[in-house]
Each structure stands twice: as C-alpha cells, then as structure tokens.
Amino acid sequence: MSHAKSGEDANGECHDSKSRVTIVGSGSWGSVAAKLVASNALKLPSFHDEVRMWVFEEVLPNGEKLTDVINKTNENANYLPGIKLGRNVVADPDLENAVKEANMLVFVTPHQFMDGICKKLKGKIKGEVEAISLVKGMEVKKEGPCMISSLITKELGINCCVLMGANIANEIAVEKFSEATVGYRESREIADTWVQLFSTPYFMVTPVHDVEGVELCGTLKNVVAIAAGFVDGLEMGNNTKASAAIMRIGLREMKALSKLLFPSVKGSTFFESCGVADVITTCFGGRNRRVAEAFAQSGGKRSFDELEAEMLEGQKLQGVSTAREVYETLNHSGKLEMFPLFSTVHQICIGPMTKRAAEEAPPSTDSSTTGPNFLGCYRDQVAELLSQEERLPHHEDGDTKKPSTEIIGAGISSLKREKLKALLRQCVTDLIPGVDEMQSRARSMLLMSQLSNKKPSISVTNEEVEDDIQLLMKSDPRLFKEIVKKHTDDVLTSLNNMQQQAEKLLDNVATSCRPMSRDEKRDLQRSIKELPGGNLKRIAEIIKDHHAASGKAFSDEVTVNLEEEDNVMLWRLHFYVAAVKSARKLAS
C-alpha cells in the first residue's frame, strides 16, 4: 500500500506519513475488530496509535451516552461488556468526523445499514483511501445482487477488500484462537497490509485473491446456520445437521450460487477459513443458529423480530434477511429448484413476516388449513369495497347494443373499479412467491417419491441432489417415507385451501361484473364445448359448487345450459375458460 510521504506537496501542504484507521461500526464484532486493530496500531510504526470507532449513539439505562462510557471505561458496555478495547480506541458518534482523517476504513455494521452509511459518506472521502468490509450480507437491486464490497467501491470510489472467517466475536474477544480470510481484488500489497493490521497470536489471517468468493462465503453461511438452528430446535440430532444434509448441502449450495453469480469465484476459496470452517463454526454456535433454534422450539409462534430483540440485546440477525435476498435473486434467475435448502429456509422464515396478513384474514373453519390466508384476506377486502357504494344502473340483459368493454366493476364508479383492480393485482403479486415456492417444493417431493420407487421421470439438474436423497433413503427408509408423505400432504392441503379461497374470491369479484350479453354467452358456450375432458369435469364442479352455495337443487349429472345460469355463474365460467386458454397457450 502506498503511504503519503512526510513533508510538503506542490501546494505547500503537509502530509502525514502514517496511516489512520477508523472502524465504522460498534456492535460486538465491530468492537472486537477495534480491539484487534488497536493492539497492532500501537506496534506498527506505519500507523497512528489512535483508532477511531464510529458508534451509533445510544443512551444506556443509567442515562449515560454509550460513546461517553466507551471513552471513559474503554469497554463497550452494550455489546462487549467486560472486554478492554485498548486505550487508543476513541468512540465517535459523528460518522463524518470519525472518518475524515482516516485513510483506512473498516466497515463492520449490519448489512441493511450499509446503503445509508455509504450515501452519507458519498463525496466525503478524499485522497488515497482503502477499505475493508467485515459485513456479511448483500443488497438486492433492480439490476441484480450487489455485494457490500462492490457497494462501497461504487458509492465511495475506493478499493475494498473483505475479511470473513470462522469467527464468533465473544470468543475472539477473550483471545481464543480463531482465523479469518482476507479477500482482495487488486493489490496483494494492500491485502498484506490488512493481514498485518488484524493478525495476532490468537487471530490468524491469510489473503486470498477472490473478493466475491470470500464475501459470499461470509454472507451465505448465515442462511445455512438458520437451517442448522431449525434442526437443533426440532431435536433432529447432530447426524442430521452434520452428515445427512444441512452443512454438506449448505456448503454445496453456497458454492453453486457463488459460481452462478460470479463465475470467477475459485473453488479453493471454500476450503479456506471463510468457507467450510465458517460454516461448521456458525452451525454449532453464533446468533443465527441460536435464534433459529428458539424459533423452531416455539413451533414458529414467536417471530424472528421478537426473538432477535429478546436474545441479541440490540444486535441484528443477518440470516433471515439474507435468506430473503437469496430467494429474490434465485427467483429472478429461475433457479430456485436447484437450491432446496436456501428455498426451504426462506419459506419457513417468511411465515412470521406474513403474520399481519394472517391475523387480518377471517378465521377458517377448515382444521386442515395451513399458512396465512392471503386469499381470504383479499376476499373480505373485495367484499367490503363492493358494499361501500350502491351500484349504478346496468343495461338490461339481452340488450343488443355493444356491451361495455369493462367486465369487472362495470356497474360501480370509476374510483371503486380502479381500487378493485388494484386489490386484485396486489393479491396476485403477494401470491406469486408462495406459488413459486410450492411448485419447487412439490417438484422436490415428486423427485423423492420417484427415486424411492427407482422410477425418476423428471430431469435432475444436479446429480448431487439425487445422491443426497439416496443417502437419506438408505440410512433411514422409514423416516424418508414419512418425510415424503408429510410434505406431500402439506402441499396438497395448501393447494386445496388455496383453491377454496380462490373460489370465494372469484365469487365476490363476479358479483361486480356487468350482465353478460347474448353474443358473449354464445362464445362461452362454444369455448366450453372445445375444452378437454378434464377441464369439462372442472366446469361441472364449478356449477355444482355454485348451486350448492346458492341453495339450488342439483343432480349428479350436470348439463351446461347457460340460459338458466345467473350472471355470477356465467362470469365464473368465463374466467375459468380464459385461464385454461392462457395456460394452454403458455404450454404450447
């Protein structure tokens, strides 16, 4: 790393030959980073003794400010009590002031805060400044996933290395042996400077020329740790966690996703401290595993937000938000089915996030109903909207004039009609992720079932997925069959419930439709006759269900006579036929 020289430049301004370091962040890991760097700054002649640490100001229960307490006691009473950081660590609550003289910046905050921090520092960083990120996570933007090191480089215009590894802050704080990996993109000399600044007899650091690989290891392992916590909370045993799936599959999915996002990622990086060692360490310790274990022990009744507040004392949980970001990335790329562990963790995690929708939905009388009742929630909102305003006059049924091009909400005001359409669009938007996950889950169950019968009829994109299933099948056939049956039953129950709620939602929507014209009835009759046998059976079911709900008598044999059906039924059939046509067009 090139340091400024002592003396004067062409403008006569003095420059300091020593580097100044600022730690941006003051949680448990940030405080440990400050302790490591501060101890080395005192020994290295090329660094100033003072190490500044930006602290997000908090007021402690005794009324004192956290920065004042750190500067007075040399301890972070909130996040690392009992550990001396070093007399040369100075806490500063002013972000801009903390970094203004530094030419080496260490970023170590929860990843969800990094975008805001970079925006605040944009244009404030001057001269030859180097950065290193200890932040585990990524930002998902419209153009795709953005690693935190890339965000720092883009927003601040400075080079950024990364440091990741098998690190539990509280253990390093008491100087138990640990190791980490510095990932660098440009100069090995810069990487060596960071290694020198962080290395101690109890904290061994090695450089690797692979920023993305090192950073993704540190990011994705938190999702694997969440899965390990679920296993612990369900008391499935260490064999399940270590051998049968979680860590091995998790590491494999980490490697596959990293290669998918950045083909330049090196396979050897996953054998460094930031890779396999970090996965093992985090899956047996660390906040993500602990909170996920508590979540599973509560049966999912306690939200991650609640558990985070109770268990982490102000620290942030990274795995849940990272699981969501990974899901968004995979869903956008159409690769969800290749990553069953990541997809499953996200599916479990989104339950508490949708708690409000579940609470707003009406209670179901079906004891087999599972999951938040999104459709029931929207059904009631649609019904409430349609009851708020009296209908405007319709034209008479059979009127020969050209019917309105508006079908849904044609008999209500324009404002109400637009609100109705917005509700329906939002309903579809909210359901898409759940449907995608269900499809992926159903496909996995189908593959497991077929492999158990040794008749795989669907393609396997990753041979190792089949190997994992075969391993579980051989090690515990009874458990394997129970898993297949349980998940299959869950998927079928969810689909059945979704269908029932969709029927009720469509009934409400159909009540807002204008009367169907005679020409439209003739077109509908013709379209029904052209449907395949399986779809005709569904037409009969729709008519039967509608008659039963209306209190009409019906026989086992259904004759489709559109002249005898009410307007709601006609439009229900119209929507079904249109959906079938759209599906067949997509499949062709």
Side-chain angles (χ1 to χ4, degrees):
M1 176 179 177
S2 60
H3 297 281
K5 302 293 183 183
S6 298
E8 298 181 350
D9 63 12
N11 298 320
E13 294 180 355
C14 290
H15 287 272
D16 196 336
S17 62
K18 293 186 176 184
S19 293
R20 291 182 180 272
V21 185
T22 290
I23 312 294
V24 181
S26 58
S28 59
W29 187 213
S31 298
V32 169
K35 171 181 161 71
L36 292 168
V37 170
S39 67
N40 285 321
L42 291 173
K43 303 170 188 174
L44 298 170
S46 57
F47 287 90
H48 270 281
D49 289 351
E50 181 183 282
V51 173
R52 287 201 166 257
M53 179 172 72
W54 172 64
V55 176
F56 183 79
E57 191 65 280
E58 299 177 49
V59 178
L60 301 180
N62 63 5
E64 290 187 275
K65 292 181 178 179
L66 180 58
T67 49
D68 292 339
V69 172
I70 293 174
N71 289 331
K72 183 169 62 178
T73 67
N74 198 229
E75 293 181 15
N76 188 334
N78 250 14
Y79 302 113
L80 204 66
I83 302 297
K84 297 297 181 182
L85 303 182
R87 288 291 176 188
N88 53 328
V89 174
V90 177
D92 191 336
D94 186 326
L95 177 60
E96 292 181 30
N97 186 66
V99 305
K100 70 178 182 180
E101 294 183 354
N103 63 337
M104 299 194 76
L105 301 177
V106 179
F107 289 92
V108 53
T109 71
H111 79 276
Q112 52 265 47
F113 299 149
M114 280 303 302
D115 194 43
I117 288 173
C118 285
K119 281 181 169 57
K120 191 167 184 179
L121 292 178
K122 194 168 186 176
K124 307 291 194 306
I125 306 298
K126 307 294 182 183
E128 293 185 11
V129 177
E130 291 290 336
I132 191 166
S133 171
L134 281 61
V135 181
K136 299 173 174 70
M138 60 184 177
E139 293 279 325
V140 177
K141 299 181 178 293
K142 290 181 180 178
E143 58 272 21
C146 176
M147 303 312 298
I148 299 301
S149 63
S150 299
L151 178 71
I152 292 169
T153 296
K154 180 181 177 182
E155 293 293 329
L156 304 183
I158 58 179
N159 178 55
C160 186
C161 297
V162 297
L163 184 146
M164 307 283 160
N167 312 137
I168 295 177
N170 291 335
E171 293 189 1
I172 301 171
V174 295
E175 303 186 1
K176 291 184 177 180
F177 181 79
S178 186
E179 58 180 0
T181 307
V182 166
Y184 67 96
R185 181 178 287 108
E186 295 181 0
S187 167
R188 172 63 185 260
E189 182 185 357
I190 294 169
D192 287 341
T193 301
W194 288 118
V195 168
Q196 191 179 33
L197 196 55
F198 277 94
S199 293
T200 68
Y202 59 88
F203 192 67
M204 186 174 73
V205 185
T206 53
V208 171
H209 190 202
D210 183 7
V211 167
E212 287 82 9
V214 173
E215 191 167 11
L216 278 164
C217 280
T219 296
L220 299 176
K221 56 97 178 189
N222 284 328
V223 183
V224 183
I226 293 283
F230 291 155
V231 169
D232 286 343
L234 295 171
E235 298 183 351
M236 296 174 71
N238 286 337
N239 183 60
T240 304
K241 182 162 67 175
S243 303
I246 299 301
M247 284 193 283
R248 190 174 66 83
I249 294 177
L251 187 63
R252 193 189 64 234
E253 290 191 15
M254 285 169 56
K255 184 177 179 181
L257 179 55
S258 299
K259 288 278 192 180
L260 179 67
L261 297 178
F262 300 98
S264 62
V265 166
K266 299 176 181 178
S268 59
T269 299
F270 295 86
F271 294 97
E272 298 288 344
S273 171
C274 62
V276 62
D278 200 2
V279 170
I280 294 171
T281 300
T282 311
C283 285
F284 281 95
R287 71 187 77 161
N288 289 280
R289 189 212 63 80
R290 287 192 293 114
V291 175
E293 179 182 27
F295 175 85
Q297 288 172 339
S298 76
K301 294 177 182 177
R302 302 187 66 191
S303 72
F304 280 101
D305 287 343
E306 179 186 356
L307 292 167
E308 177 187 84
E310 178 185 303
M311 299 175 66
L312 301 187
E313 299 178 337
Q315 296 181 72
K316 291 295 180 183
L317 194 66
Q318 300 293 300
V320 175
S321 55
T322 302
R324 182 177 66 252
E325 289 151 359
V326 168
Y327 171 82
E328 290 172 5
T329 300
L330 291 174
N331 191 41
H332 179 73
S333 64
K335 304 289 187 181
L336 267 175
E337 63 186 34
M338 293 174 60
F339 299 88
L341 186 143
F342 287 161
S343 300
T344 301
V345 169
H346 174 261
Q347 182 181 15
I348 295 171
C349 289
I350 62 170
M353 296 177 188
T354 56
K355 183 179 180 183
R356 186 176 66 84
E359 289 173 344
E360 290 179 358
S364 172
T365 56
D366 181 1
S367 61
S368 64
T369 297
T370 59
N373 190 350
F374 283 111
L375 288 166
C377 181
Y378 281 105
R379 184 195 71 221
D380 280 11
Q381 291 184 52
V382 167
E384 182 182 357
L385 177 67
L386 294 177
S387 67
Q388 288 173 356
E389 184 175 18
E390 190 172 331
R391 299 292 174 77
L392 302 174
H394 290 108
H395 64 273
E396 293 297 321
D397 184 27
D399 196 337
T400 55
K401 69 181 180 180
K402 185 178 179 180
S404 166
T405 54
E406 295 285 358
I407 295 175
I408 298 175
I412 58 178
S413 71
S414 298
L415 178 61
K416 294 293 181 184
R417 183 167 60 248
E418 291 309 310
K419 285 185 176 180
L420 175 60
K421 289 180 179 179
L423 266 175
L424 296 175
R425 281 194 294 268
Q426 189 59 45
C427 176
V428 173
T429 300
D430 285 353
L431 283 171
I432 285 173
V435 172
D436 287 344
E437 288 179 20
M438 196 175 297
Q439 179 191 38
S440 176
R441 192 172 169 191
R443 189 179 185 281
S444 297
M445 289 305 103
L446 177 61
L447 175 60
M448 291 176 75
S449 178
Q450 290 172 345
L451 286 173
S452 66
N453 295 320
K454 305 189 184 301
K455 297 178 181 178
S457 62
I458 58 176
S459 61
V460 182
T461 56
N462 190 328
E463 291 182 3
E464 291 184 354
V465 173
E466 183 174 342
D467 291 342
D468 293 328
I469 296 172
Q470 297 281 17
L471 174 63
L472 179 58
M473 202 163 54
K474 291 176 182 176
S475 61
D476 196 336
R478 183 187 60 79
L479 175 61
F480 176 81
K481 289 181 179 179
E482 286 178 3
I483 291 173
V484 172
K485 184 178 185 309
K486 181 182 182 304
H487 285 284
T488 302
D489 289 346
D490 286 348
V491 169
L492 291 175
T493 298
S494 297
L495 286 172
N496 183 56
N497 179 55
M498 186 178 288
Q499 178 185 322
Q500 292 174 10
Q501 294 298 331
E503 298 290 341
K504 294 173 183 177
L505 175 62
L506 285 171
D507 277 339
N508 278 338
V509 172
T511 61
S512 75
C513 294
R514 60 169 170 77
M516 187 177 283
S517 69
R518 286 173 182 165
D519 286 344
E520 287 171 329
K521 288 179 185 177
R522 282 194 290 270
D523 288 342
L524 178 58
Q525 187 84 46
R526 185 169 55 251
S527 296
I528 289 175
K529 288 180 180 178
E530 294 171 355
L531 292 175
N535 296 122
L536 286 174
K537 182 179 178 183
R538 179 66 190 132
I539 289 283
E541 290 174 353
I542 292 172
I543 293 174
K544 278 185 177 182
D545 291 343
H546 183 70
H547 286 179
S550 305
K552 294 181 182 178
F554 60 90
S555 61
D556 291 336
E557 201 169 305
V558 177
T559 302
V560 180
N561 184 353
L562 300 187
E563 293 300 327
E564 295 180 0
E565 298 298 338
D566 60 37
N567 197 59
V568 171
M569 185 74 264
L570 293 175
W571 285 113
R572 282 295 316 283
L573 295 175
H574 167 85
F575 293 145
Y576 176 73
V577 170
V580 171
K581 286 182 177 179
S582 296
R584 293 175 72 182
K585 192 176 294 184
L586 285 172
S588 62

